[in-house]
Amino acid sequence: NYILCFSNKGQIHWLKAYQIPESGRYAKGKAIVNLLPLGKKERITAFIPIKEFNENQFLVMATKNGLVKKTALKAYSRPRKGGIVGIKLREKDELVQVRMTPGWLKFVIASRNGRAVRFDEKCVRESGRVSMGVRGIRLGKGDYVVGMEVSTDDGCLLTVTERGYGKRTDFDSYRLINRGGKGVLNIKITEKNGKVVAIKSVKENDEIMLVSQNGVIIRVLVSGIAHIGRATQGVRVMRMNSGDRVTTVARVPSNGVEENVDL
C-alpha cells in the first residue's frame, strides 16, 4: 500500500508501507522526520492507506478553523520528493482530519467547545487540489475543530474530553443540516470533564485506546461507555493524575483491522 501522509500545513507526502519499521510495543520507533521531508513546525495529522487511486473516490478534509474540502483522490496520484499541496490554508489554520469517501456519505464535524454539525457531503462541491474548500461549521470565539467522522447507520459517535470523560450518542440525535451552521450541542462542557479532545465513529463491539499527555495509555471496551444523549457531560473513562490530560484517542475495531467504512 501507499500511505498518504497529511501534515498540519496542508502538505501531502507519500510512503510505501514497507518503509515504516515494524517493532514491538516497547520499541522507541523511528522519527517521522527520518522518513518524510517535513518542514519546521510541520507534523503529520492524518494518513490514508491507498492500494490504487480509484477515479470514483474522494478525499474530504477538515481544518481547525472549520473549513471542509472535497477533492478527487486521483488528484493526489503523482508524488513529488518534497510532497505536494493537499489543501490551501489561511493564516493560523491547520489541517485536522482527512477521510476517503465514495462521494455520498454523511459526516459529523465537532469542536473543542462541544458543538457539532452533521451534514451530507453532497453539500460540499468538489474542488481542485490547490483550493481552500468551504465552511463546514461556524465556530464561536476561541473555538476550533477537533475532529470529523463518518456518520454510519450501525454506529454511534464517541466523544472524549481532556479530563478523561466520554460518552456515546446515536448519530440520529444530530439533525442533518446544511454545512456551515453553528450546529447543535454535542457534549456539556464543565470544569469537571474539560474540553473535547476527540470524536470517533464506533460500534458496540469495538475498543478504544486513550493516551495521556504524560504517556499513560488505557484500552477499554466501547460497550462499557455510557450510551446517552447529546446534552450530557459523559462518564469517567480514564482516571487522570493531577496536571495530566487526554491527548489522543484511537479506535480498535472488533476484528482488529481498521476498515474504511466508505469503501
Side-chain angles (χ1 to χ4, degrees), residues 202-221:
V202 296
K203 297 179 181 178
E204 184 73 17
N205 295 326
D206 290 342
E207 298 175 354
I208 60 163
M209 297 180 76
L210 285 77
V211 185
S212 80
Q213 181 175 269
N214 292 342
V216 179
I217 188 169
I218 187 174
R219 181 171 176 172
V220 299
L221 289 168

Side-chain angles (χ1 to χ4, degrees), residues 90 120 250:
R90 292 190 176 101
D120 194 318

Side-chain angles (χ1 to χ4, degrees), residues 44-247:
I44 299 303
T45 56
F47 68 90
I48 301 286
I50 301 289
K51 285 187 178 180
E52 58 182 21
F53 290 86
N54 194 314
E55 294 183 354
N56 298 321
Q57 290 173 333
F58 302 86
L59 293 180
V60 174
M61 306 179 186
T63 75
K64 186 176 181 179
N65 289 347
L67 298 181
V68 292
K69 182 186 133 173
K70 177 180 176 181
T71 303
L73 177 63
K74 197 74 174 176
Y76 303 97
S77 61
R78 296 184 179 181
R80 295 176 191 165
K81 187 176 180 180
I84 63 172
V85 175
I87 181 173
K88 188 177 180 182
L89 296 172
R90 292 190 176 101
E91 189 179 356
K92 296 183 180 180
D93 200 2
E94 293 184 0
L95 182 62
V96 172
Q97 188 59 275
V98 183
R99 288 285 182 259
M100 187 165 65
T101 87
W104 42 262
L105 298 179
K106 295 177 178 63
F107 284 90
V108 172
I109 186 168
S111 78
R112 179 170 168 78
N113 287 343
R115 307 292 297 182
V117 166
R118 180 169 172 251
F119 64 95
D120 194 318
E121 73 167 285
K122 292 178 182 178
C123 296
V124 182
R125 65 180 183 275
E126 183 184 346
S127 58
R129 181 171 60 82
V130 189
S131 60
M132 287 187 180
V134 294
R135 188 185 300 277
I137 182 173
R138 191 175 296 276
L139 299 168
K141 186 177 181 180
D143 201 6
Y144 60 83
V145 171
V146 296
M148 177 182 68
E149 289 293 320
V150 176
S151 171
T152 60
D153 294 333
D154 58 348
C156 56
L157 185 71
L158 171 72
T159 304
V160 179
T161 67
E162 60 188 357
R163 295 196 175 178
Y165 282 72
K167 70 179 181 73
R168 293 180 293 151
T169 304
D170 290 331
F171 283 113
D172 288 344
S173 297
Y174 304 84
R175 69 179 186 273
L176 194 64
I177 63 173
N178 195 6
R179 53 136 191 106
K182 291 183 178 180
V184 296
L185 184 65
N186 175 33
I187 187 170
K188 203 173 185 179
I189 299 298
T190 65
E191 187 176 341
K192 181 180 178 181
N193 63 356
K195 304 282 189 178
V196 178
V197 294
I199 60 168
K200 292 292 175 183
S201 177
V202 296
K203 297 179 181 178
E204 184 73 17
N205 295 326
D206 290 342
E207 298 175 354
I208 60 163
M209 297 180 76
L210 285 77
V211 185
S212 80
Q213 181 175 269
N214 292 342
V216 179
I217 188 169
I218 187 174
R219 181 171 176 172
V220 299
L221 289 168
V222 164
S223 57
I225 300 173
H227 197 157
I228 48 184
R230 289 188 295 103
T232 54
Q233 66 178 8
V235 296
R236 190 187 299 277
V237 179
M238 182 178 186
R239 192 171 296 277
M240 310 303 299
N241 293 325
S242 178
D244 200 6
R245 67 185 186 90
V246 176
T247 58

